[in-house]
Amino acid sequence: AEFIEDQIRTEELRLICNNEVVEILGDDKVTSVKLKDAQELPCQMVAVGIGCVTPFDWVKEAGLACDRALLANQSSETNHPDIYSAGDGTQFDDVIIGEKVIYGNWANAQKQGERAALNMTGAKEPFKAVTFFQTHGFGIVMTYVGDVRPAEDREIIQRGHTGDDIQERI
């Protein structure tokens, strides 16, 4: 995150942390946003990227198990025998890393949906995939492969150009 923040600052943009937009102002077009600390920032566009937040109360009321998303096993089955789940709103048993995970990207959702559909017809095979993600902006192309969530028992191997130096740890 620090590398990305530094790159944004080199673009002569102001980075505002620990705040949030509480109101988007303008009639037919956006003219500004009001922040929680009462700052008003003029703008012509608002882009929102806040991650996956899904209201699961209605799913829980129906008797389906949820944590951060709808819980599913490695074959996309929920705790109800006739209900399967796949994609961004699914927290599933990843057979590769042995943990319950949510991978919010279109490639995962598509492949997991295919596996869930086959399992609904009786296949009962686990979803197996190494997740990946790529994004770009502010002169950065960033890609990750695998599970890069920080954990004490996990090693993140970085490769590539990260500013003035090249990091290559194996």
Side-chain angles (χ1 to χ4, degrees):
E2 186 177 306
F3 170 71
I4 294 168
E5 289 177 7
D6 290 345
Q7 186 66 27
I8 289 170
R9 287 183 183 101
T10 66
E11 298 288 328
E12 297 182 15
L13 297 172
R14 186 173 70 156
L15 192 60
I16 300 172
C17 299
N18 303 313
N19 211 329
E20 61 186 75
V21 173
V22 294
E23 187 175 2
I24 298 173
L25 303 168
D27 292 323
D28 294 331
K29 296 179 181 180
V30 175
T31 57
S32 62
V33 293
K34 187 178 285 185
L35 302 182
K36 191 173 186 174
D37 68 359
Q39 288 185 74
E40 188 173 325
L41 305 173
C43 63
Q44 297 173 337
M45 178 179 78
V46 175
V48 179
I50 59 170
C52 180
V53 178
T54 308
F56 285 104
D57 291 342
W58 66 276
V59 175
K60 291 176 186 175
E61 288 173 15
L64 294 170
C66 295
D67 182 21
R68 293 182 13 237
L70 184 58
L71 293 173
N73 66 17
Q74 61 190 12
S75 299
S76 302
E77 299 168 302
T78 67
N79 63 309
H80 187 284
D82 296 324
I83 299 177
Y84 290 72
S85 182
D88 296 4
T90 303
Q91 187 173 348
F92 66 98
D93 292 330
D94 186 317
V95 297
I96 295 173
I97 65 169
E99 296 177 16
K100 283 208 172 290
V101 296
I102 301 171
Y103 292 140
N105 64 60
W106 69 268
N108 175 75
Q110 178 184 21
K111 292 297 182 188
Q112 192 175 34
E114 288 174 9
R115 175 51 50 205
L118 288 170
N119 288 341
M120 284 182 228
T121 66
K124 301 299 180 223
E125 293 183 25
F127 173 68
K128 296 179 188 175
V130 176
T131 191
F132 68 92
F133 181 77
Q134 182 176 43
T135 189
H136 59 89
F138 304 106
I140 302 170
V141 176
M142 184 172 52
T143 304
Y144 76 74
V145 177
D147 187 356
V148 295
R149 295 173 301 156
E152 285 185 29
D153 64 341
R154 206 168 272 151
E155 180 182 1
I156 306 297
I157 300 170
Q158 298 178 359
R159 290 196 167 89
H161 182 67
T162 58
D164 295 332
D165 63 329
I166 301 284
Q167 291 187 11
E168 194 164 332
R169 292 186 294 140
I170 295 179

